[in-house]
Amino acid sequence: MGHGTRNPQPDRSATSAGDDRAFPRRALMPLAVAALAAPAIAARAQQGEAPAAVKRTVERFARLPSASCLVVSERAGGGWRTEHDARSRRFVGSAVKTFILAQFLRDVEAGRLSEDRPVAIDDGVRSLSSPVFLGLAGTTPARSVLEAMIAHSDNTATDAAMALVGVDRIRGLIKEAGLAETQIVDSTRRLFSYLAGAADGVDVGWDGMQKIAAGDQFGPPRAAVNDRQTMMSTAEELVRWYRLALRGEFFGKPETLREFKRIQATATALSQVVPGDVVSYGKGGSIDWNGFHAVSLPGQMIVDGAPTTFCFTINWTGEDGTVAPTFAEYREAVAAILAEVAR
């Protein structure tokens, strides 16, 4: 959700270090996560074995700390699946914003909401790590809010969209999809408030967010991996979600699916790892919080009309100096897997 040692600043860009990174990250997590030792790769054929070159690149990814991944390729004449620790829960950060987008579009489809609806952007919803709306005030169409939430992982946009939809409706969609291991927060501000020591359910407001950004706390800081306010899932569930959602399973109209795809295609993380000129959809997430770090990217790419759905997540603990090199290894490993799949 952002970058920082104690300051939860959700989903920023990450490339190599600090704000110059080009992959959206998040700021949250203080749990000790055991580093991965020997990677045991499980490659299960659905209708055939994964290509040996793909399995070798997945083995490379599995050497990253607390790595979890799943790649499912569906092609005429036979698909395949390869994975590593795909059923383990990990912190995935803003990757869960896909569910907010989907439920908002379902509500548009049902006539409950409109993408043309003016949405207020002010201190009532302003949150940390908001590269689009942080310094703005006024109204903007809901469509622009959804685009900012996915393309730039703007947390002010996220909280504005969640307030319109209602978190219970978003959790209802997650339940409908059968994603029992997936957990979302009440809002990014409640998440940051909770991690910075406030009671569960308390929103310390924009003034409080600024204090958190300055390093202040409202009590003992909490771990990002918790049972109250967190963003968790598994590679298995996120791949299942994208396989179903991108087929239109949760939408009643073709135009709703087209809009879902249009917005999901704008996520900045995709261009960092997906081969050029390949259509892709997804949403990344990350966090740095009290020595805990995470990066995740679930999504799907289309090569010659055939979908390959994937999720790549790592969680680790370490000094801030570990972020840039670990992220660089992550990005290179993911890009290598997807390049082999495309070949």
Side-chain angles (χ1 to χ4, degrees):
M1 301 194 52
H3 177 58
T5 304
R6 299 178 65 95
N7 306 343
Q9 299 169 6
D11 259 89
R12 280 193 224 164
S13 294
T15 312
S16 56
D19 293 337
D20 294 328
R21 292 172 300 183
F23 190 94
R25 301 186 55 81
R26 324 267 76 186
L28 314 161
M29 316 192 148
L31 253 220
V33 180
L36 188 66
I41 303 300
R44 293 208 308 263
Q46 293 179 320
Q47 297 174 327
E49 284 293 323
V54 173
K55 289 194 281 188
R56 285 195 295 271
T57 57
V58 170
E59 289 168 0
R60 171 187 174 186
F61 179 85
R63 297 187 184 100
L64 292 169
S66 290
S68 173
C69 71
L70 172 60
V71 183
V72 176
S73 183
E74 302 169 78
R75 296 173 183 275
W80 50 261
R81 165 185 175 126
T82 185
E83 67 187 272
H84 173 75
D85 205 12
R87 292 163 190 78
S88 294
R89 289 183 93 220
R90 298 283 190 271
F91 190 93
V92 298
S94 290
V96 302
K97 291 177 181 178
T98 182
F99 304 113
I100 305 169
L101 172 63
Q103 186 54 49
F104 195 105
L105 294 178
R106 278 157 56 105
D107 284 352
V108 170
E109 190 174 79
R112 183 175 177 268
L113 292 172
S114 168
E115 286 189 273
D116 296 322
R117 173 178 178 156
V119 178
I121 302 298
D122 53 33
D123 289 353
V125 293
R126 204 175 311 282
S127 187
L128 300 174
S129 229
S130 298
V132 180
F133 292 138
L134 188 65
L136 302 181
T139 62
T140 191
R143 181 177 293 101
S144 298
V145 170
L146 299 175
E147 291 167 350
M149 176 178 72
I150 299 299
H152 301 286
S153 214
D154 188 289
N155 284 325
T156 297
T158 302
D159 285 1
M162 291 186 78
L164 288 172
V165 174
V167 68
D168 289 343
R169 295 172 64 77
I170 302 164
R171 288 179 175 139
L173 171 59
I174 292 170
K175 183 177 181 180
E176 177 185 335
L179 309 181
E181 300 300 323
T182 299
Q183 186 175 350
I184 65 169
V185 294
D186 293 342
S187 70
T188 69
R189 288 215 318 208
R190 286 192 179 185
L191 169 65
F192 299 146
S193 299
Y194 185 73
L195 295 184
D200 184 25
V202 170
D203 178 350
V204 298
W206 176 236
D207 287 344
M209 292 296 104
Q210 293 173 290
K211 290 178 181 177
I212 294 171
D216 293 343
Q217 304 288 335
F218 297 90
R222 297 186 177 95
V225 177
N226 61 72
D227 61 356
R228 299 284 183 169
Q229 298 290 333
T230 192
M231 297 167 159
M232 304 285 292
S233 192
T234 68
E236 181 79 42
E237 290 199 346
L238 288 172
V239 165
R240 185 192 317 164
W241 162 257
Y242 275 105
R243 290 180 74 191
L244 293 174
L246 291 169
R247 290 176 191 160
E249 294 291 333
F250 304 107
F251 309 117
K253 300 178 181 178
E255 55 264 36
T256 309
L257 176 58
R258 283 198 298 270
E259 182 69 347
F260 180 73
K261 287 182 173 181
R262 181 187 73 80
I263 296 176
Q264 291 268 187
T266 66
T268 56
L270 296 169
S271 65
Q272 301 299 306
V273 294
V274 174
D277 300 322
V278 172
V279 174
S280 59
Y281 314 98
K283 176 70 188 83
S286 63
I287 194 176
D288 306 299
W289 173 251
N290 281 356
F292 179 82
H293 314 281
V295 183
S296 182
L297 178 61
Q300 185 180 94
M301 70 179 189
I302 311 294
V303 180
D304 295 332
T308 294
T309 314
F310 52 81
C311 180
F312 304 100
T313 304
I314 59 173
N315 287 184
W316 79 99
T317 55
E319 300 295 327
D320 283 356
T322 66
V323 174
T326 303
F327 174 73
E329 289 182 54
Y330 170 92
R331 186 179 55 195
E332 290 167 8
V334 172
I337 293 169
L338 297 183
E340 286 298 339
V341 171
R343 277 195 281 271

